[in-house]
Amino acid sequence: PEALAGFDGTGVSGRLEISGHELVFADGKITAPGADGEFSAFADFDGHIRAKLDRLALHGGEAQGSVTLDTRQSEAVLAGSFKMTGVDHLALAKTMSGFDWLSGRADAEFEVAGGGASLDKLVSTLRGQGQLSLTDGAVEGLDLPLIVAKAREGEFGKWRREAGRRTAFDRLSASFTIENGVAETKD
């Protein structure tokens, strides 16, 4: 609620283009070089905000999502959904978190909701579900068949990532549930 105190309740809509390397919202940062899409955000004077992102071109694929934030009660309520298809997972993950172990075309979808008087409380109450699927990908830096072949010959070295090595796969997928801000999978 305090963060919205200076907001006058107007709406913003239009085309979103990220030509640099980052888009900054307050203290947070979203990095998505070359992304573009349709964006709209609306807020009521009473503290209800809705944001929607459509047809976002993202690392060779497409994404869309929506978020609502309702601050009309003592504890804010957040709900959101996100879907992406055909996105270059390696490029996206490296850009957002530096994680460079998995490549492939990613399809993902998730829905979350939670509430709280602070960001920490809100995150700790998040509930939802999601799924992630990678196709035509690889575990980058490891050649697992080579490691197994060496083990059969009695060579048990350390598993180290090495440039140029990879273990290809056709499909890797997982579904997960989110409870109290923690994602869990049984896949």
Side-chain angles (χ1 to χ4, degrees):
E2 295 84 20
L4 301 175
F7 193 73
D8 65 3
T10 59
V12 176
S13 65
R15 183 155 183 78
L16 172 68
E17 293 186 30
I18 305 171
S19 58
H21 289 285
E22 59 188 35
L23 175 62
V24 177
F25 293 102
D27 295 330
K29 186 180 353 177
I30 297 174
T31 307
D36 65 272
E38 303 290 323
F39 174 76
S40 61
F42 299 95
D44 297 327
F45 286 103
D46 62 0
H48 189 212
I49 298 173
R50 297 169 307 282
K52 186 175 181 184
L53 188 60
D54 285 324
R55 293 182 301 275
L56 175 68
L58 185 62
H59 296 292
E62 188 170 286
Q64 62 189 32
S66 65
V67 147
T68 61
L69 178 63
D70 189 346
T71 63
R72 296 178 285 191
Q73 54 278 335
S74 62
E75 294 192 353
V77 175
L78 174 80
S81 65
F82 182 77
K83 181 178 183 177
M84 67 181 192
T85 56
V87 173
D88 179 339
H89 181 268
L90 184 62
L92 178 65
K94 273 176 81 171
T95 302
M96 293 187 73
S97 67
F99 183 77
D100 62 352
W101 282 66
L102 292 175
S103 63
R105 284 290 180 214
D107 295 342
E109 190 170 347
F110 70 85
E111 293 184 16
V112 295
S118 69
L119 182 58
D120 289 341
K121 178 67 174 166
L122 191 143
V123 169
S124 72
T125 65
L126 283 177
R127 299 177 69 148
Q129 59 190 12
Q131 59 184 8
L132 171 66
S133 173
L134 293 174
T135 56
D136 301 322
V139 177
E140 299 294 336
L142 289 178
D143 184 339
L144 293 177
L146 179 63
I147 291 170
V148 170
K150 285 183 176 183
R152 283 185 183 154
E153 295 173 7
E155 188 179 328
F156 297 99
K158 291 184 178 179
W159 285 26
R160 277 182 290 225
R161 293 182 68 207
E162 295 179 36
R165 301 225 186 247
R166 61 195 321 249
T167 302
F169 57 82
D170 292 328
R171 182 176 178 85
L172 174 70
S173 61
S175 58
F176 54 91
T177 57
I178 302 167
E179 190 71 39
N180 298 324
V182 177
E184 180 180 310
T185 183
K186 297 192 188 302
D187 296 345

